[in-house]
Structure formats: C-alpha cells, structure tokens
Amino acid sequence: MHKIKIIPTAELTKKKQNADATSKWISLCLSWFFSLVFFALIIFIIVAAIPGFKAYGWSIFGSKFDLSKDQASIWFPLCVTLIISSLAILIATPLSTKVAVFIKYRIHTSKQKPFRVAIELLADIPSVIFGLFACESLGTLLKDVLHTGTSYNLITAGIMLTFMVLPTIVSLSLNALDGVDNSLIAASMVLGNTKTRSIYKVCKKQARNGIVVGVIIAFARAIGETMAVSMILQSMSYNTAFAGGFLATMTSGLRSLGALISSCMFADIGGPNLRSLLFAFGLFMFIFVMILNAVAMYATKRKTKAKWQWWSKVEKKIAGFILFIPNQIRIVWESITYKASRKKNANPSSYFATRVQQNKFIHTYTIWKQVWEIISVILVSIFLAWIIMSILINGVSALATGQSTVFSLAKDSTGQAVINTALIILIAIGIGLPFSLFIALYLNEFAREGKIKKILLFFIDSLGATPSILFGMFGLIFFIQTLGLSSGGTAGKSLIAGALTILIVILPVFIRTIQQALESVPKELRTNSFALGAGRWETIRKIVLPAARQGITTAIILSIGRILAETAPLYLTSGLSASSSIALNSPGQTLTTRIYDQIFNNSSVSGIHIMYECAFVTMILVFAIIVLVHIAIPAYYARKQRKLKEKYRKEMYYEHERFIHAHIAKLVKAPKLLTKTELKLISEINDPPPTKKGKHEK
C-alpha cells in the first residue's frame, strides 16, 4: 500500500507564500528590465548622434541641404514627411470614420466579423508589399490620371500611406463607437431626429475622443513609416524642388525623414559622420512621435479635461478653424431645410412634431451620409481587392516562369529567405513569450493601481509607438557594433542580431495582448480559488493561465504576423546580402528584406519577379495567420468547450440515473406508496438527454 504523506498546514502555507513572492519578484525584475531597454534605446541613439552634431553643427537647423558641402538641414526631409503624412490623414480620416460607422450601425452585429477581419487583413500587409504595389500599380494609375510625369512622387506616397494608416483609424474608431450606449440613438430619435442624424450628432460626438486618438496615432505611424516610402521617394534635390513651388514639390520624389535614414545609412558618401547625422535625425523623429503619442494619451483623459479647461477651448478653436467652411455650409443647409422655429412658451413636444413635419428635406441628410458611407466602403474594398489580386496574380506568374527559387536553399534564394524568417520567428517568440508572460502577469495579477504600474505602462506604450527604424538603429549600435554578434565583427550583420532586435520590437504588443487575455478571465475564478486555500501563484498557474490560453495563443500568432511585416530593423541588423549557408552569426535575407533588396538589382525584370515571388509567399502566410486567429483558434476552443459541457452533462445524467435506481431498490425492500415526485424522478430514466444525432440514448 502507498503511504500518503501529510504535509503540515504551516509548512504548506509557507511554501505557497514563497512561491507567490518568488513569482512576483521575477515578474517585477523583468518589468523593470524592460523599462531599462527603453532608456538604453534613447541613450545609445543620443551617443551615436553626438559626432553628427559636431560634424554638421548648426547647418542641421539651417536652410540648405547639400551633403557634399556638409549642409544637412533637417527641415526639408521633415517638411516632406509632414506633407505626405498630412495628405494621408486628410484623406484617411473621413474615409475611416464613414467605414467605421457603416460597420457598426449599418450591418447586423452577427455579420460584422468579415468586415472587421478585412480591415485587419489590410493592417497586416507588410509595408514593403505596399511599396511594391505603389511602385508597380498605384503609381502608374496616378501618373496617367494626374499627368505627373512619374509615379515616384509625394502624391503616390501620400495615397499609399492613406491606406496604410486607414486600418488604425477604423479599428480605434470602432472601439470608441462600441463603448457608446446604443440607447442614445433611441433617445435622440424621440426628439425628432432620424437614425442617421442621431448616429452622427450624438454617438459620433460621444466617441470623438477615441476617434481623435486614432487619428493622432495614425499620424505618428505615417511619420515613422520608412521602408515603403523609401521604395517610392529616392531624390535629395530639396533646394531645387522647394524653390519650384508647391506643385513642383508634390510631383517630386524627395525623400522623407525615414526614407533618408534608411537609404543613406550604408551609403558610400559622408562616411561615419553622415551615419551619425542620421542617428540625430532619428532622434528628432523619436521626439516628434513621442510628443504626438503623449498628446493623444494625455489630452483625451477626462481628468485632464476637467483640470485644464483651456485645453477644451483650444481644441474647439482648432476644430472650428479646420471645419469652418463645412460648418458654414451645414448652417446654411439647416436654415433652409429646418424652417420651424420654437416660440418662447411653446410646448417642446409640439415644437419637435412641427419641426419634423415642416422639414421638406428630412431624408436628404440621411441619403447624403449613407451615400458617402457606401462610397467609402467601396473604395476601401476596391483597394484591398486590388492589392491582394495584384500580388496573387503576379506572384503566380513569377512562380510559373521556371526561375522560381522558393524550394531552393542555395545562396540568394527565396527558400533560404523563408528559412531565415522562420529562424528569426522561433528565436523571437521563444525568448519573448516567457518574458512577455511574466511582465503581463505582474501588471495584471501582482501590481496595484498606482504610480509604478502607470510608469511601466507608459514605457510599454512608448516603446510600442516607437518607429521601427529606430529599433533597427539601436540593434545596429548595440548588438552589432557594441557586442559584435556577427561573424564579421562590428562591421558585419547577423541573423541573431536581427532576431534580438525584432524581439524588442514585438515585446510591447506581445505584453499588451497577453495582458488583455488575462484581464478577460473573470475575477470570480480567482476569488473562489483563494477561498479554497490556493495561493496567488497556484491560482495563476492552475486557474488563470488555462482560462487565458486562447488569448495567449492569439497573442503568439499576432506576434508572428508582426515579425513577418517588419523590414527596417532586419535591414539594418541582418542585412540585405544573402549567405552561402544558414547560420545565426551570418547575414541573411528574410522575405521582406529580399523584396527591398531588389530595388538595387541591376536586372529590373528578374528583380520584379523576385519581389512578387516573395510577396506572394508572405501574403499566403498572412492569410494563414488571419485564418488561425479568426477561424481556427476560436473554432478549436469552442469545440473543446462543447465537448467539456457534453461530458459534464452526461456525467450528471448518469449520476442522476444511479441515484434513481438506488432509490427504487430501497422502495423494493421497503414497499410503500410512491408519491408524485418519486414517480416523476423514475419517469426521467426513460427520457435521457438527446445525443448529437438527435436520437435518445437507451
């Protein structure tokens, strides 16, 4: 017989307390270590930028740009960045809000998922694929329509950025509209408004803060976009283009700040001083993006608006200035269509009834808004279908040429790029999963609401908003030039440096996604576990983590998608050159960097085939990720949940049946008259629950 070891209660309690303390300190240390990464990124970039400030001096803030004369005004590339980003936001904002309203209020809740998945698919397309599409398809169309003479200009870049930032605004606008009480629509309609007018005048106004945050974050992303823009904008003739006026500037191919950094980082001109100058430019980009994100997070808080009344006034004045002409048109239109005027002592109900009855154009506003909603949805759908079909058709054509290298592992092959991408994913996810999990556990399970938690969340969100090119610059300085993680020493490139850089890139999103999965676990499960005597770590390990398993799995898949989409960090750390063999300390192309490398390919035909071949493979992987996240994983866990419920139901049924048989046996031994309740219990034996086929079990 096995002896059962009985552990004293005091000893068991002490073990649980030690486990709780150990897990808390591990997660706390990892959280602060992550914060140190944020400071290290800033410090290393500042140190690398100092020689550039010394070499170029005050010319950085001058009015001329000529690298041959050591003149590098930051205002020209910054102005180009602001022009194309502003163009993208001006087009994307009305499109996005109309699409969000259409999805939220025009489509039934049960049928919204395909539209939301389509928006997420647009968001998951890698930036270099957008760049390829803009160079080969979108730019050609714009050149023919606008007669710009070339497709490589600021207009093409701005339109491309429009659809790159559109998913961000749509997603955040939908989240804001989801938080609005739908009863407000009914209350507004009672006052005589139509449903459409209620949506735009009440619900949209309630969700304005969330929409503004989406616009600001999208603007910051447009400013930080690098690789797609650098594939279109390849000129540095700033002085000549700006001297020609606004039209000459818009039809030129002047490089933005991010494109200038990526294209000149390994250029032969300038040497170390130019590279240091580029770090200074990256520092300015970082500061600018951080200011935008700080404004977005700080200005939209209710406490901020209550404390700083002047901000609300400034916000209203800015909105009034931007929307002056539309507001005047609206006022004139409403004065024409709404002729009913309320008298001083008039009954409100009769006023609203008269107002509606005398309005001859009551449906004009509704028709106008719905038409623009439909047009917006059609434009986004056409663009999404256009880019997907372009990549798939041209990708299949590239694979059918007979020169495809998808299944080859030789040097400079797409197959080797696939293996390199897989290695980087395995390393980044393998290290990032436990790291992110413990940080998310600390934020959700251990940390109390206070300054420490707010500081950690600020670091996580700030690092998540950092342009990816800055991560690549940090990886180049730290992992290559400082640690020498390369077979070529401090002057080489390596896959391991790229994987560690990508690890830092995905950590903020990884942490936040896992934290949301942990937050979705009901608090009652934790309370019940504590009531049964379980410790905090035991509760986390046995209750919380299994319950959040679906969300954690989704976080892993989304992080893989983020790795697939990144180019700039890998371009600066893993390099563009292919290696004769696959090794972690050797350089290597990934799928996205292989696409970008073809810009420098002397053979344009073979380069385009390679681009579309890699884009086709990448899009297939993106489709697989979308299917896993939105179909396969939810279906798997739903099926598993149904099986558990079915198993539990059967166990309860057979337990009930055994109880009835035992009760009948007692009645046989001690005969007595059966009551109505006993007869009902016995009759349930012959009425078992239905099976999956709908038949009764015998």
Side-chain angles (χ1 to χ4, degrees), residues 577-630:
S577 60
S579 180
S580 57
S581 60
I582 300 173
L584 292 178
N585 63 344
S586 299
Q589 295 176 337
T590 61
L591 287 169
T592 52
T593 58
R594 182 167 171 79
I595 295 173
Y596 186 74
D597 180 52
Q598 303 314 308
I599 299 176
F600 313 102
N601 193 335
N602 295 326
S603 176
S604 59
V605 177
S606 63
I608 291 173
H609 284 167
I610 293 173
M611 281 182 168
Y612 278 115
E613 180 181 86
C614 294
F616 177 80
V617 175
T618 305
M619 285 301 298
I620 295 300
L621 294 175
V622 170
F623 287 146
I625 289 172
I626 294 294
V627 170
L628 283 173
V629 171
H630 293 283

Side-chain angles (χ1 to χ4, degrees), residues 60-98:
I60 296 175
F61 303 101
S63 59
K64 292 184 179 180
F65 191 97
D66 191 349
L67 296 179
S68 62
K69 297 180 181 179
D70 291 339
Q71 296 174 340
S73 173
I74 191 175
W75 305 119
F76 288 115
L78 180 60
C79 186
V80 171
T81 304
L82 293 177
I83 288 174
I84 61 176
S85 301
S86 301
L87 176 62
I89 292 299
L90 287 174
I91 301 174
T93 300
L95 273 178
S96 303
T97 52
K98 296 293 188 299

Side-chain angles (χ1 to χ4, degrees), residues 146-205:
L146 302 177
H147 304 287
T148 55
T150 176
S151 59
Y152 298 90
N153 52 53
L154 269 62
I155 298 175
T156 303
I159 300 298
M160 178 195 68
L161 281 177
T162 297
F163 292 95
M164 291 184 71
V165 303
L166 185 141
T168 301
I169 304 178
V170 172
S171 298
L172 293 176
S173 298
L174 278 172
N175 292 338
L177 292 172
D178 287 339
V180 177
D181 189 0
N182 288 331
S183 63
L184 293 175
I185 297 178
S188 178
M189 293 176 68
V190 169
L191 298 177
N193 287 314
T194 60
K195 180 180 178 181
T196 300
R197 196 173 184 84
S198 303
I199 291 170
Y200 281 92
K201 299 299 182 181
V202 179
C203 297
K204 185 181 174 183
K205 188 175 181 180

Side-chain angles (χ1 to χ4, degrees), residues 407-435:
F407 302 103
S408 173
L409 297 180
K411 184 179 179 180
D412 194 22
S413 64
T414 303
Q416 190 182 88
V418 172
I419 299 299
N420 291 336
T421 305
L423 283 175
I424 290 175
I425 289 173
L426 289 174
I427 295 172
I429 297 297
I431 301 175
L433 177 58
F435 206 97

Side-chain angles (χ1 to χ4, degrees), residues 290-326:
M290 286 298 105
I291 290 173
L292 285 176
N293 285 281
V295 169
M297 288 187 290
Y298 186 74
T300 54
K301 291 182 179 179
R302 294 182 179 179
K303 293 182 179 179
T304 303
K305 291 194 172 185
K307 186 177 180 181
W308 305 102
Q309 296 293 334
W310 60 269
W311 174 256
S312 298
K313 296 179 180 179
V314 171
E315 188 181 25
K316 289 181 181 179
K317 289 182 179 180
I318 294 173
F321 176 76
I322 296 173
L323 301 174
F324 177 77
I325 295 177

Side-chain angles (χ1 to χ4, degrees), residues 676-690:
K676 291 182 179 180
T677 304
E678 292 168 339
L679 289 171
K680 183 179 179 181
L681 290 174
I682 295 172
S683 65
E684 289 182 359
I685 297 177
N686 299 320
D687 189 21

